[in-house]
Amino acid sequence: MRLITEVAAAAGISGEHLELYGKYKSKLAPSLWEEVKNKPDGKLVLVTAVNPTPAGEGKTLTTIGLSQALNAAGIKTVAALREPSLGPCLGMKGGATGGGKAQIVPADDINLHFTGDIHAVTSAHNLLSAMIDNHIFQGNALGLDPQRIVWKRVMDMNDRSLRNIVTGLGDGNGTVRESGFQITTASEIMAVLCLCDDLADLKKRLSRMLVGYDMLGQPVTAKEIGAVEAMTALLKEAVKPNLVQTLEGTPVIIHGGPFANIAHGCSSVIGTRYALKLGEVVVTEAGFGADLGAEKFMDIKCRQAGLAPDAAVLVVTVKSLKYNGGVRKEELHEGNRAALLSGLANMERHIENLGKFGVPVLVALNHFEGDAPDEVDAVLEACRRLDVPAAVSKVWAEGGAGGLELARELKKLLDHAPAGTFAPLYEDQLDIPSKINTIVTEIYRGTGVAFSPAAKRSLAVIEKLGLQQLQVCMAKTPYSFSDQPRLLGAPEGFTMGVRDITLSLGAGFAVVITGNIVTMPGLPAKPAAEGLLVDEDGVLHGLE
């Protein structure tokens, strides 16, 4: 690793704008924005993917490798990524810093506590939770209805046993009521951290967060609880983006980490804006498949921040397409051209969907050792048939050198793409049911939406409060276009079931909970935590 001061200097950042966390990590001071804010923006490239499969698609890997390749090709490039959550790092997924020769470092630090931003979000969220219960205990001057408190607690860990809890048990411990935990990445505070413009905007967004309703059914906010200044105090360092590097010294801005299946799935607006001022090209990513992360990137992040992506890179693998064609996980290493051809429908659907936002698409075929040449050729031929540029990416094995073909194709796309074609999927003035229906029919290709009684009650509250201008954040399984995880490929003709709708007024969206999605994951039968080892020298092994 290079010293982070050297990485910053190469990116045009002087030492006075760095707040160092050791030799290899730094926060970027607000003073940097004052220096760079009038510079022209670079090109914004979103890396997204087909629906995720057990084999892994390599979206973060491709983001890192592509940024290295662009720099190797002489194009000043900065990557902008989310921070990994401890939940998946110690649960099913393991680390989330790339792999092979396309990694961000120091990987162990980034995967674990990093600079403490996620801990700060956890603390701010739970402070508000504690102040809500204390307010009720101390006389409840606001007349909060204990049965209509919508603000839960959070922790940055997968723990299914905390999804539903009862608080206040025992004499003198407050009002007994049902509540629960979410994972920190689902916290609205994480969302507002990633969508705010600066510290002042963060405070405004915190102020309008909904915590519950009073006995008359009127909303009660965090501002009325009196928690905003203290939450801001806990978040004042977390609002600053973090600077690290790839194995080849490419600067990477990491900031925020909302999940894309239960939150909006994008790194921070602040971090992206810094990157756009520092690089000719900015490569960023959005979580899970393009039906979730990319849709939210376009419809929520870009809309709120006034950003316009210049291109999208869709990551596919031979294995992912065979899985979507019906091949079991255990057999993905075996050749199966027929299944691959069937699974191409998933890739084609994502390409069509990205086109609906007016963004040109490049397919990155992330290469695995053992991929059959005829199957690779079949994917490339499908892209030619769709008139979509494509390139094989070998960044895991070769680093930036293995992404040069992809970088050249992206440069051609950026050089010839017409400007001003980007547009979100739906208009702000549509009501919430119409926005949901638009996403379901246009992106998922369902025939309509079935609202549960609870969802209908939530829609009535939204209408009563005049909140139709909110955007929509879909909470949905990432494994399928539908709300049914096992419905693979490119299903259509299904009805999307909406279980409930919650309000994130600080973030500016309504969270639409579909199917059996939960906002607190559980650990798998064999958690990744069991594979970690710290040796006698304090070196961590197994976090991959």
Side-chain angles (χ1 to χ4, degrees):
M1 288 183 287
R2 299 167 63 189
L3 295 175
I4 198 63
T5 49
E6 297 175 4
V7 175
I13 305 170
S14 61
E16 65 187 290
H17 303 309
L18 300 178
E19 297 179 4
L20 299 176
Y21 281 64
K23 297 178 180 179
Y24 307 112
K25 300 171 290 184
S26 179
K27 282 194 169 289
L28 299 176
S31 57
L32 175 61
W33 181 250
E34 294 305 312
E35 181 175 293
V36 302
K37 64 182 180 182
N38 294 321
K39 291 185 177 181
D41 284 349
K43 300 282 189 179
L44 181 59
V45 177
L46 173 69
V47 176
T48 183
V50 295
N51 291 99
T53 70
E57 284 59 60
K59 189 168 66 278
T60 302
L61 171 89
T62 301
T63 303
I64 297 164
L66 176 57
S67 69
Q68 292 181 153
L70 288 164
N71 273 312
I75 302 168
K76 188 178 181 183
T77 303
V78 178
L81 293 167
R82 293 175 297 159
E83 177 180 353
S85 161
L86 285 179
C89 281
L90 301 177
M92 181 181 293
K93 184 176 181 179
T97 53
K101 293 186 176 180
Q103 293 189 50
I104 42 177
V105 287
D108 289 348
D109 288 3
I110 295 167
N111 279 317
L112 297 179
H113 303 289
F114 200 23
T115 57
D117 293 351
I118 292 183
H119 295 313
V121 171
T122 302
S123 297
H125 185 113
N126 290 334
L127 169 67
L128 179 55
S129 304
M131 291 183 70
I132 292 166
D133 282 317
N134 184 62
H135 179 88
I136 296 172
F137 180 79
Q138 301 293 352
N140 198 7
L142 293 171
L144 268 168
D145 182 349
Q147 306 308 314
R148 297 196 69 190
I149 304 297
V150 299
W151 193 261
K152 298 184 178 183
R153 285 167 167 79
V154 298
M155 63 184 293
D156 188 30
M157 195 61 62
N158 294 2
D159 192 346
R160 64 175 58 83
S161 64
L162 293 177
R163 288 172 184 165
N164 298 288
I165 66 169
V166 176
T167 63
L169 294 175
D171 186 41
N173 295 327
T175 302
V176 176
R177 66 181 183 87
E178 292 185 25
S179 186
F181 273 77
Q182 300 171 305
I183 194 165
T184 300
T185 49
S187 168
E188 186 182 355
I189 294 180
M190 178 64 81
V192 302
L193 178 74
C194 289
L195 290 170
C196 71
D197 296 325
D198 49 30
L199 189 63
D201 187 41
L202 174 68
K203 190 181 295 189
K204 291 177 184 176
R205 289 174 176 269
L206 294 172
S207 297
R208 61 178 187 256
M209 292 190 309
L210 178 71
V211 302
Y213 299 88
D214 65 18
M215 297 296 184
L216 300 176
Q218 294 301 306
V220 178
T221 65
K223 179 179 180 180
E224 293 171 277
I225 295 295
V228 173
E229 293 297 334
M231 286 192 293
T232 305
L234 292 171
L235 295 165
K236 68 182 181 66
E237 298 304 312
V239 79
K240 302 171 184 175
N242 307 290
L243 180 68
V244 288
Q245 62 188 296
T246 73
L247 287 175
E248 296 180 10
T250 292
V252 182
I253 294 177
I254 297 181
H255 199 211
F259 284 176
N261 62 331
I262 52 179
H264 78 280
C266 305
S267 61
S268 77
V269 168
I270 294 175
T272 303
R273 285 180 174 155
Y274 272 106
L276 286 168
K277 299 299 182 183
L278 296 169
E280 296 174 70
V281 173
V282 172
V283 186
T284 190
E285 57 92 35
F288 291 117
D291 56 321
L292 282 169
E295 184 271 316
K296 294 172 183 180
F297 178 84
M298 311 288 187
D299 280 327
I300 296 176
K301 178 177 176 176
C302 288
R303 188 196 308 257
Q304 290 198 24
L307 299 172
D310 295 282
V313 175
L314 181 72
V315 180
V316 306
T317 66
V318 166
K319 290 181 178 180
S320 69
L321 297 176
K322 288 193 287 190
Y323 186 81
N324 272 283
V327 175
R328 295 187 305 164
K329 175 184 177 182
E330 297 78 16
E331 299 171 351
L332 288 175
H333 64 284
E334 300 175 5
N336 194 326
R337 185 180 173 87
L340 180 138
L341 294 176
S342 175
L344 282 169
N346 188 268
M347 179 187 78
E348 293 176 10
R349 172 78 57 83
H350 286 295
I351 291 171
E352 292 171 8
N353 286 346
L354 289 167
K356 293 184 177 185
F357 296 96
V359 177
V361 181
L362 168 64
V363 170
L365 178 53
N366 182 24
H367 187 270
F368 281 64
E369 185 179 0
D371 284 351
D374 66 315
E375 292 180 342
V376 171
D377 289 343
V379 178
L380 299 177
E381 175 56 35
C383 292
R384 284 191 289 270
R385 175 171 50 81
L386 295 168
D387 197 25
V388 172
V392 176
S393 173
K394 296 184 178 181
V395 297
W396 188 94
E398 301 174 17
L404 287 174
E405 181 188 358
L406 186 64
R408 285 192 290 269
E409 290 295 331
L410 178 60
K411 186 178 186 306
K412 286 193 288 186
L413 194 65
L414 292 173
D415 287 345
H416 298 101
T421 58
F422 166 72
L425 187 68
Y426 55 79
E427 299 295 333
D428 279 325
Q429 61 265 30
L430 285 178
D431 59 29
I432 298 296
S434 297
K435 291 171 183 172
I436 297 170
N437 192 68
T438 298
I439 295 172
V440 168
T441 57
E442 293 290 324
I443 301 298
Y444 307 155
R445 310 300 176 90
T447 54
V449 184
F451 294 100
S452 72
K456 290 178 180 177
R457 289 193 293 271
S458 297
L459 287 172
V461 170
I462 290 170
E463 185 174 1
K464 176 184 175 183
L465 298 177
L467 297 173
Q468 302 288 6
Q469 82 283 357
L470 294 174
Q471 286 133 37
V472 165
C473 181
M474 302 295 291
K476 179 186 77 72
T477 176
Y479 303 114
S480 170
F481 279 105
S482 73
D483 55 357
Q484 303 165 54
R486 292 189 174 92
L487 201 56
L488 304 179
E492 53 189 11
F494 57 88
T495 299
M496 179 73 70
V498 173
R499 198 169 82 241
D500 203 358
I501 301 171
T502 62
L503 296 175
S504 294
L505 302 184
F509 53 66
V511 180
V512 180
I513 302 171
T514 71
N516 295 319
I517 197 74
V518 293
T519 55
M520 168 56 87
L523 291 172
K526 187 173 178 61
E530 293 183 11
L532 299 189
L533 170 68
V534 180
D535 66 23
E536 60 271 19
D537 296 319
V539 178
L540 177 63
H541 303 272
L543 186 58
E544 299 174 353

